[in-house]
Amino acid sequence: MTCSTKLRRFATALLLPALMGLASPVVAQGTLRVAMTLADIPLTDGAPDQGTEGVRFSGITLYDGLTNWDLTQAERPAELRAGLATEWAPRPDDPTRWIFKLRQGVRFHDGSVMNADAVIFTFERALNSNHPAYDVSARRQLQAFIPAVKAWSKIDEYTIEIETNGIDSQLPFQMTRLFVVSPAHWEAVGRDWNAYRRNPSGTGPWRMDALVPRQRMELVPNREYWDAARRPRLDRLVLLPIPEVSARTAALLSNRVEWAESPSPDSVPRLRQAGFTISTNAIPHMWPYTVSVLPDSPFHDIRVRQAVNLAIDRDGLVQVLNGLAVPSIGNLTPDHPWFGTPSFRPRFDQAEARRLLAAAGYGPNRRLPLKFIISASGSGQMYPLLMNEYVQENLRQVGIDLELQVFEWEALRGRRRDGAQGASNRGVHALNNSWNSMDPYNGLLRFFGPNELPPNGTNWGNIRDEVLEGLAERVKGEFDPQRQAALLAQIHTRFVDQAYFIWVVHDVGPRALSRRVQGHVHAKSWYVDFSPLFLR
Amino acid sequence: MLRYLLRRLAYVAPIAVGVTLIVFLLVHIAPGDPISAILPDDASAEMVAEARREYGLDKPLPVQYGIWLWRAAQGELGTSIRSGRTVASELSMAVGNTFILAVAAGLLACVLGVALGLVAGLARDRIGDHLTSLFTLAGVSLPHYWVAILLVIVFAVENPWLPPLGMGPDSSDGWRPDWAHLQHLILPAIATALIPMAVIARTMRASVIEALDQDFVTTLHAKGLLPGRRLWHVLRNALPTTLAVTGLQLGNMLGGSVLVETVFAWPGTGFLLANAIFQRDLPVLQGTMLVLSLFFVVLNLAVDLLQSWADPRIRRA
Amino acid sequence: MSATAAVPAKAQGTGYWGGVARRFLRQPLAVAAALVLLVVILAAIGADWIAPADPFQTSVARRLAAIGTPGRPLGGDELGRDMLSRLIHGGRVSLAMAIVPVAVALVIGGFLGVLAGYAGGAVNMAIMRVMDVFYAYPSILLAVAIAGALGPGMLNGMVALTLVFVAPIARVAESVTTQVRANDYVVAARLSGAPTWMILRRHVLNNVAGPVLVFAASQVSVSIIAASGLSFLGLGVSPPQADWGLMLSALRQALYVNPWVAALPGAAIFLCSMAVNIVSDGIRRAMELRR
C-alpha cells in the first residue's frame, strides 16, 4: 500500500462519518438480516424471555424502559440515560420513595398515548396477581430483574411514585428492564397477551411487521419515534433464529444474512477471509467458576482458591478462542470504575500455584480431586466444552484432577438454584455459570451474604464475609454516584483479594458483520442499538 | 380379512395407551426439577410453589397422568411453557413443514431405492450387484448430519448454487411448490433420503431375487418370453414389500430428522423437539412425542393392513 | 426383518458353521472389512499403548495443525491435541457406545423374544405387545428423547440406545423361535418328553442364535451412527471423554479452515460403520443356503 492511498483512506475514514451526518436520516437504507443464536423469536410482549439476547432483539427494539441504556459510544461501559422518564430521584423526606417524571407526547405504535396509567398498567400486569391484565409469563421474566420494586402509584398524568424494598439506590438500573406496554392496545386485541404477542405495541424505535414463530420476525422503523436521533435508517430489520452455529456461518458465507451473533472461534479466519468483520468489545459479563466455600470444600481454603486462579493460562485460552474473549481477573475489567485496587492478581504462574497447593497440603503424592458442574451450551456460556477442557488440562499440570460433570443448560440452572449447600450438589466444588455484571447488584452485590443464598439470590457458594456485607449495606443507602462507585470499588477489591471466584474470561459479544453494514457501534453492553445502522 | 382387521385394531389400542404412558413418564425420568426451566434465575420458593400448582406438578404422578391423558384425548395438549402458544399450534406448523421434507425425501429415496434395488437384483452376484450394494451400504453407513454439513459447504457456501438453510426465500409467507421454495428443499431432502434410499434398495434387491427364483418366472424364462414381460412379473411381485418398507421409512423420517433439521434450520418437528429438549419445554416435548408416535403407530397399522391385503400369506395366525 | 428370511431350514452341528465360515472367507470384500474392524477393535483395546501421544495434552501452537505436522501425524484438533491419538481413544468410546447397547439389548431382547416365541399364547402376547410399544417410536426420535430427558453423559446415552434396540431384537428372536418351535424335530422332541431346557438348548438356541446374532451385528452400525448423533446434539459422551461424534461436533466449524483434519472423525465413523455393515452382510450371505 502506498503512502498516498493510506492517506486517502485515512481522509475518507475521517470524512465519511461527517458526510453521513449530513445525509438525511429519514432516507431508508436497506434490509438488514440478522442471525440470532436463539431457537425462537423472544417473546414480544415487553417481557422478553431468553435472557439478554431476548432483550436485545425483542425488548429495546420494540419498547422503551423508564430508563434506557446509552449505547452510542464504545469506549466506556454503557451508562443510563433518560427513557420514558425524563427525570427521577428519591424523595428527600423518604429515600424509599422515588418520583419518576414521564416524557410527554410519546405515543405507542397503536396510536394511544403513553402516560402514568400505562406505566402503572405495566407494573400491575407483571406484579399484581389480582389485576385483570396480570400475566404470569411477564412476572416470570420480570420479577428477578426488578427486585427493588415494592409498590407503585400514580401522582398525576405524567408523574408516578415507586416504593422500594428498603433504601435501594439501584432502582434506576432496574427500570431499564420494565418495558412499558399499551393498555389501550391490550383492550383492542381482546385482553389477551397471546394476541398482544402476535401484534405487539410499544413505544420503541421499531414496530413489528411480521412474526412467523421459530422462523422470522420483521421490524420496520417507527417514523414517529420520540427521539429523532434514534429513528431507524434501515427499511427493515429481519431477525432469524438460527441456533446451530455451522448454519449461521453458512448463512453468512452464502449472503443470506448480513449479521450473525456469536460466530464460532474456528470459523473466524474463514469469515475474515471472505471479507466479514468480526466485531468485539468487552461487555459486562464474566465466565468464572463460582466456587463453594462451604467447610467440606477444598475452596474453603483461600490458598486453594488463589492457586487455581494462578493455574489458568488465560492468554492461551483467548488465543484458542481466536480472540473472541478477553482475560478476566475480576468480576469487572481493570478499566472499570468499580474495579478498585486488589493486591491479588490472577495471573498465569503455575509455580506459585503449586507452592500454594503444597502449603494447603496437596502435592504430587496427594493430588487434589475437584468436581465442577458445567453446561454443554446456553446463554452467555460461550464455548463451554472447549473452554472447560482447556482449563481441565491447565489444572492437571499443577496436580489437580478436575472432573467435569456436563449438564444440559436448563438442568444446570436447576443446580444453580439448589446452591452449593443443596443435596443435589453434594461433592460439587464449583459451578461454571456465566454472569452478567452490568450494574452493581448483578456484578457484585448478589454473590455474597445471607440474603442472597439460593433460591433467593445467586450466592451459590455460600460466601459470608462481614466486610463485604457491611459495604453492601452502605452502597444501598448511598445516592451520590461518586461515593457509590468508591464503595463498589472497595467491595470488588475485597472480593478479588479473597479470590471468591475463579475468573477465566469476559465475553466480547462477538458478531460477524458483512462489509455492507455501516454505522455499527459495539457498545460495552449486552445490547445494541439498531437505529443508526444502514447498508451500503 | 375383517377378522384380521379387527384383531389388528385390538392390538393397536393397548399399544397406544403404552405409548402415552412412556411419553408421559419421559418428562419425569428427567433429573432436576421440570419447573426450574419455567422460572427466572432467582425465583422465590413461593413462585416455585405457585408454578408447580399452575402446571399441576404438585399432584401425585398417577393423577397427573390421568389429567394429562384426559386432556390429550380431547386434543388439549397444553401450552408451551416458553412461548405461551398452544402446543397444538406449534405442532401443526412444524408437522406441515416436516411433512414437506419427508415427502420429498421419501420420493427421492423410493425412486432411487427401487431403481438401485432392481439393478442389483437383476445383476445378482455380478459387478452391478456389488457396486450398487456398496453404494447402498455407504448410504446407511454415513452419518447423515455430517453429510448435511458437507453438502451445505460444497453446494451452498463454496459454490453458491443452492440455499444453505431455511424453507424459502426471505419474504416467503408460506410454502409453495415453486422453484424459489423447491431449491431450499434439495439439500435437506438428499441428506434425509440417504438411509431410506439404502433400506429400500436392499429390500427391493431381496424381493427381486425372491421373485426371480419363483418357479413361474423361471418357467417364463425357459419359455423364452421377452425380458419385458419377465421384468413386469418381477416388479409386480417385488413392489408390495418395497412399498411397505417405504411407508415405514416415511414414518421414520417424520420424526427422525432431528439432526438434519437442526443443520438446515428447517422449522419442523425435529427442530421443535430438539429445542423443546434444550429448553425443557415439557408440554411441547410431550405433545410432539405423543403426536409423532401415535402417527407412527397408525402408519404401521396402515402399512400392515395394506400389505396383508396385497399378500394374504402375511396374515399371521 | 430381513434376518427372518435367513432362517436356516435346519442348522445344527459344526458342519453348518464350518460351511458358513468357508463361504464367508470366499468374499474378499467381507474379509477385508473384517480385517479393518479387527484393527479398529485392537487399536481401541490397546489405545493406551498404541496412541503415540497423550490425547488430552493441549497445544495452542498446534491448533488445527495440518496433517503431517511433527508430533501431530494426523494434525491437531481445536485445542491442538493429537488427532491420531484422539481418534484411537475416541474409537474406544465410540465402539463401546455402539456395541454395549446392542449387546445388552441382545441379552434382554433375545431372552424376551425366545421366551415369547417358545411359550407362545398369553406370555407371547404380553411380551410382544410391550415390545410393540417401544417399536412405536421412530428409533432416533426415541433415543434423542430419552437421552434428552436423562441428560448428557455416556451412561445415559447407552441406556437410551439400549432401549431402542431391545424391541427389534426381541421381534427377530420371537419370530425365529416361533418358526423353529413348529419344526418337526422340535415337535418330536417335545412329544418324546424331553425336558424343556434341553429342547431349548439343543434345538431352539442353536437355531435362533445365528439369525439373531447377524441381525444384532447389523444393528451395531445403526448404533454407531445414532451414538455419534447423540454426541453431536450434545446428548451423548461428555468431556474429557470424546467419541467420534463429539469430535465431529467440536470440529464442524473447522471444516471451513482445515477440512482434511476436521473431516477425520466423520470419516472414522463412516469407515467403521461401513465395515460393520459389510461384515454382517457377508455373514448373512454366507448363512443363506443356496437352493
Side-chain angles (χ1 to χ4, degrees):
Chain A
M1 197 189 285
T2 65
C3 190
S4 69
T5 49
K6 248 189 208 166
L7 205 72
R8 209 179 306 146
R9 287 209 181 165
F10 182 65
T12 345
L14 273 180
L15 275 174
L16 250 174
L19 287 172
M20 272 148 30
L22 290 176
S24 162
V26 290
V27 174
Q29 300 182 39
T31 296
L32 175 66
R33 295 165 298 178
V34 175
M36 306 185 289
T37 70
L38 305 173
D40 194 4
I41 311 294
L43 296 178
T44 53
D45 59 1
D49 63 335
Q50 312 200 60
T52 44
E53 201 172 343
V55 173
R56 190 183 310 154
F57 294 112
S58 293
I60 61 171
T61 46
L62 296 167
Y63 296 91
D64 290 300
L66 292 181
T67 53
N68 282 351
W69 288 103
D70 181 353
L71 304 170
T72 54
Q73 50 84 26
E75 288 72 38
R76 299 177 312 283
E79 288 157 12
L80 282 189
R81 65 192 246 174
L84 292 179
T86 50
E87 43 189 298
W88 54 90
R91 267 167 49 175
D93 55 325
D94 180 357
T96 65
R97 290 168 184 274
W98 291 67
I99 304 294
F100 280 78
K101 291 267 180 210
L102 301 183
R103 192 178 293 279
Q104 305 199 11
V106 177
R107 282 179 184 278
F108 287 105
H109 301 154
D110 61 281
S112 64
V113 175
M114 193 289 300
N115 54 19
D117 291 328
V119 179
I120 298 297
F121 174 81
T122 304
F123 276 113
E124 299 278 345
R125 75 105 179 215
L127 299 178
N128 178 6
S129 53
N130 297 318
H131 193 273
Y134 174 69
D135 179 35
V136 73
S137 158
R139 181 192 199 127
R140 269 181 220 127
Q141 299 310 332
L142 272 173
Q143 193 176 44
F145 297 102
I146 51 172
V149 175
K150 185 177 171 192
W152 47 89
S153 58
K154 172 181 169 179
I155 290 183
D156 64 37
E157 190 64 14
Y158 288 100
T159 315
I160 60 156
E161 183 183 282
I162 301 174
E163 191 186 340
T164 57
N165 291 307
I167 297 177
D168 197 335
S169 56
Q170 302 308 305
L171 183 68
F173 290 103
Q174 297 177 9
M175 287 303 102
T176 58
R177 264 314 255 275
L178 187 85
F179 296 116
V180 178
V181 289
S182 164
H185 190 62
W186 177 70
E187 296 283 352
V189 295
R191 298 184 153 219
D192 174 2
W193 285 111
N194 267 322
Y196 199 101
R197 287 176 196 133
R198 287 193 295 273
N199 175 16
S201 173
T203 57
W206 300 87
R207 38 199 312 165
M208 200 180 86
D209 185 51
L211 174 68
V212 187
R214 296 180 195 278
Q215 294 184 50
R216 190 170 83 241
M217 173 160 76
E218 298 194 17
L219 305 178
V220 292
N222 173 11
R223 305 264 177 233
E224 279 82 49
Y225 188 58
W226 53 268
D227 183 355
R230 280 191 65 213
R231 286 188 191 142
R233 302 181 65 177
L234 291 163
D235 288 316
R236 190 170 281 270
L237 181 59
V238 180
L239 303 170
L240 306 161
I242 309 181
E244 163 61 29
V245 63
S246 65
R248 285 201 299 281
T249 308
L252 274 174
L253 290 173
S254 56
N255 297 318
R256 286 296 297 253
V257 296
E258 286 78 31
W259 173 309
E261 297 283 302
S262 222
S264 85
D266 288 332
S267 68
V268 165
R270 178 71 172 84
L271 290 172
R272 287 223 171 95
Q273 181 203 331
F276 289 89
T277 310
I278 310 297
S279 173
T280 60
N281 201 352
I283 60 173
H285 162 279
M286 56 181 141
W287 192 97
Y289 296 99
T290 305
V291 301
S292 163
V293 296
L294 289 168
D296 63 348
S297 160
F299 289 121
H300 190 63
D301 186 337
I302 184 175
R303 289 168 301 192
V304 175
R305 301 201 294 269
Q306 291 181 332
V308 175
N309 264 303
L310 294 171
I312 297 170
D313 180 6
R314 296 172 181 78
D315 294 321
L317 179 57
V318 169
Q319 213 180 323
V320 165
L321 297 178
N322 257 319
L324 299 189
V326 289
S328 159
I329 55 169
N331 291 13
L332 309 156
T333 48
D335 60 348
H336 198 286
W338 311 331
F339 186 80
T341 49
S343 53
F344 174 65
R345 198 175 175 86
R347 60 194 185 279
F348 182 46
D349 185 347
Q350 294 198 327
E352 176 67 7
R354 279 191 207 98
R355 198 192 62 75
L356 283 166
L357 283 173
Y362 302 99
N365 301 321
R366 186 168 168 237
R367 292 176 69 85
L368 169 60
L370 289 176
K371 183 169 168 185
F372 292 3
I373 50 178
I374 70 171
S375 73
S377 63
S379 163
Q381 297 290 84
M382 302 180 70
Y383 317 97
L385 293 185
L386 177 78
M387 295 164 71
N388 276 297
E389 279 185 85
Y390 183 87
V391 170
Q392 187 175 43
E393 178 61 22
N394 273 176
L395 297 194
R396 194 168 71 137
Q397 291 157 2
V398 297
I400 296 172
D401 292 318
L402 172 58
E403 182 193 339
L404 298 172
Q405 202 178 350
V406 186
F407 288 86
E408 163 272 328
W409 171 232
E410 289 300 344
L412 186 79
R413 284 186 48 186
R415 289 301 199 88
R416 169 166 113 195
R417 204 191 315 279
D418 292 342
Q421 76 279 10
S424 66
N425 286 326
R426 192 157 296 145
V428 173
H429 306 120
L431 163 78
N432 175 221
N433 193 127
S434 62
W435 310 105
N436 95 59
S437 56
M438 64 178 120
D439 56 50
Y441 175 73
N442 278 302
L444 293 166
L445 306 180
R446 61 170 161 160
F447 297 120
F448 54 83
N451 297 334
E452 299 297 339
L453 282 177
N456 298 319
T458 32
N459 180 9
W460 186 84
N462 286 252
I463 298 172
R464 296 298 312 270
D465 185 313
E466 283 173 9
V467 180
L468 289 175
E469 285 159 35
L471 286 166
E473 273 315 299
R474 286 171 61 195
V475 167
K476 286 193 175 174
E478 182 55 71
F479 291 89
D480 176 70
Q482 286 196 332
R483 282 201 295 270
Q484 197 186 71
L487 284 172
L488 291 167
Q490 282 183 49
I491 290 177
H492 190 254
T493 304
R494 168 85 184 168
F495 201 85
V496 174
D497 281 340
Q498 288 294 315
Y500 278 136
F501 277 2
I502 294 158
W503 294 278
V504 185
V505 292
H506 300 291
D507 198 354
V508 290
R511 53 186 68 124
L513 308 177
S514 149
R515 257 185 294 203
R516 296 180 59 216
V517 177
Q518 305 287 309
H520 173 243
V521 177
H522 204 135
K524 289 193 171 185
S525 164
W526 286 84
Y527 308 135
V528 61
D529 186 359
F530 290 99
S531 295
L533 295 167
F534 62 97
L535 291 184
R536 196 173 50 184
Chain B
M1 185 68 205
L2 186 68
R3 265 191 57 204
Y4 181 73
L5 186 116
L6 285 176
R7 198 167 52 218
R8 288 297 306 170
L9 278 176
Y11 281 167
V12 165
I15 292 175
V17 173
V19 164
T20 63
L21 188 65
I22 287 180
V23 168
F24 174 79
L25 286 178
L26 201 58
V27 164
H28 294 273
I29 58 169
D33 190 341
I35 215 75
S36 77
I38 314 173
L39 297 168
D41 300 351
D42 37 13
S44 62
E46 163 210 345
M47 261 179 89
V48 173
E50 186 191 327
R52 201 177 290 284
R53 262 197 313 281
E54 191 195 338
Y55 285 91
L57 291 166
D58 55 340
K59 298 187 179 69
L61 266 190
V63 178
Q64 286 187 44
Y65 174 63
I67 294 173
W68 178 75
L69 197 61
W70 175 243
R71 287 192 184 153
Q74 295 164 311
E76 169 68 53
L77 294 170
T79 52
S80 158
I81 286 174
R82 228 221 83 245
S83 70
R85 295 187 289 265
T86 61
V87 174
S89 74
E90 297 272 42
L91 264 175
S92 64
M93 202 173 337
V95 168
N97 294 340
T98 294
F99 189 74
I100 292 166
L101 179 54
V103 167
L107 278 175
L108 190 67
C110 191
V111 170
L112 277 179
V114 166
L116 286 171
L118 190 62
V119 169
L122 291 177
R124 181 183 187 179
D125 289 334
R126 288 195 304 264
I127 185 77
D129 183 19
H130 293 312
L131 284 181
T132 47
S133 288
L134 264 186
F135 184 75
T136 55
L137 275 179
V140 282
S141 306
L142 279 167
H144 55 300
Y145 55 94
W146 185 64
V147 174
I149 296 177
L150 295 182
L151 284 174
V152 168
I153 291 178
V154 175
F155 296 104
V157 174
E158 303 302 342
N159 303 290
W161 295 329
L162 289 167
L165 78 172
M167 284 188 67
D170 284 340
S171 53
S172 165
D173 50 2
W175 200 82
R176 246 173 250 106
D178 55 17
W179 175 238
H181 289 86
L182 283 174
Q183 59 174 350
H184 283 80
L185 197 51
I186 296 175
L187 294 180
I190 292 175
T192 311
L194 267 182
I195 291 178
M197 184 265 299
V199 173
I200 292 169
R202 288 160 71 79
T203 313
M204 184 70 188
R205 174 185 178 271
S207 312
V208 167
I209 287 175
E210 200 187 340
L212 282 175
D213 283 347
Q214 277 168 4
D215 296 340
F216 72 91
V217 179
T218 322
T219 322
L220 287 175
H221 188 50
K223 279 186 185 163
L225 263 164
L226 288 174
R229 277 293 299 280
R230 203 173 127 228
L231 190 67
W232 170 241
H233 279 284
V234 168
L235 268 181
R236 230 184 52 185
N237 279 278
L239 273 180
T241 319
T242 307
L243 287 179
V245 170
T246 307
L248 292 180
Q249 289 298 317
L250 196 68
N252 253 325
M253 279 186 281
L254 274 174
S257 39
V258 183
L259 294 153
V260 171
E261 287 187 1
T262 303
V263 172
F264 288 100
W266 189 272
T269 47
F271 198 54
L272 187 70
L273 186 82
N275 292 318
I277 286 174
F278 291 120
Q279 294 168 337
R280 280 264 180 277
D281 197 336
L282 303 180
V284 175
L285 176 61
Q286 281 181 324
T288 311
M289 281 298 287
L290 182 69
V291 168
L292 289 178
S293 48
L294 287 182
F295 182 80
F296 201 63
V297 169
V298 172
L299 196 75
N300 266 323
L301 176 70
V303 167
D304 197 23
L305 291 177
L306 274 176
Q307 209 181 0
S308 65
W309 170 73
D311 184 358
R313 284 172 305 170
I314 290 176
R315 279 175 227 169
R316 281 195 288 160
Chain C
M1 291 182 292
S2 55
T4 39
V7 182
K10 185 169 193 289
Q12 328 150 272
T14 44
Y16 168 73
W17 289 108
V20 170
R22 260 197 318 281
R23 284 191 292 273
F24 182 84
L25 289 174
R26 252 183 255 137
Q27 306 173 59
L29 188 63
V31 173
L35 285 176
V36 168
L37 217 50
L38 194 67
V39 169
V40 173
I41 291 172
L42 287 178
I45 293 172
D48 291 329
W49 301 285
I50 292 170
D54 178 346
F56 303 115
Q57 176 75 52
T58 59
S59 160
V60 176
R62 285 184 282 201
R63 280 189 79 231
L64 300 177
I67 292 174
T69 306
R72 298 285 182 270
L74 283 181
D77 78 350
E78 74 283 1
L79 282 169
R81 296 170 293 200
D82 181 38
M83 270 307 276
L84 177 59
S85 307
R86 286 186 70 73
L87 281 172
I88 292 172
H89 280 268
R92 176 189 277 186
V93 184
S94 271
L95 285 183
M97 279 285 282
I99 293 173
V100 171
V102 175
V104 176
L106 180 66
V107 173
I108 302 174
F111 172 76
L112 290 175
V114 170
L115 183 67
Y118 192 77
V123 176
N124 179 308
M125 187 75 175
I127 294 176
M128 293 322 289
R129 293 301 78 74
V130 173
M131 291 299 110
D132 283 348
V133 170
F134 281 91
Y135 217 78
Y137 304 91
S139 54
I140 291 187
L141 188 70
L142 185 64
V144 167
I146 295 174
L150 291 174
M154 187 165 173
L155 189 67
N156 290 348
M158 282 186 180
V159 170
L161 289 173
T162 304
L163 283 172
V164 167
F165 293 116
V166 167
I169 290 176
R171 269 202 175 180
V172 172
E174 186 257 359
S175 98
V176 180
T177 311
T178 307
Q179 287 175 46
V180 170
R181 185 169 162 259
N183 275 356
D184 298 342
Y185 55 88
V186 179
V187 176
R190 283 166 72 188
L191 287 178
S192 70
T196 309
W197 63 267
M198 214 168 87
I199 302 175
L200 271 175
R201 208 179 56 105
R202 286 205 35 198
H203 300 294
V204 180
L205 283 188
N206 262 347
N207 286 292
V208 172
V212 173
L213 275 174
V214 171
F215 178 73
S218 74
Q219 295 299 294
V220 170
S221 91
V222 178
S223 188
I224 291 176
I225 307 258
S228 74
L230 286 183
S231 293
F232 177 77
L233 281 176
L235 295 172
V237 173
S238 51
Q241 281 176 324
D243 70 338
W244 293 334
L246 192 64
M247 291 169 69
L248 186 161
S249 169
L251 281 165
R252 68 191 189 276
Q253 284 303 300
L255 280 169
Y256 289 104
V257 179
N258 192 340
W260 296 111
V261 172
L264 286 172
I269 296 171
F270 172 59
L271 189 73
C272 206
S273 162
M274 185 87 178
V276 169
N277 272 323
I278 293 176
V279 169
S280 70
D281 227 38
I283 300 177
R284 198 171 49 77
R285 281 183 197 215
M287 283 173 68
E288 274 171 17
L289 292 179
R290 300 292 161 91
R291 290 185 182 92

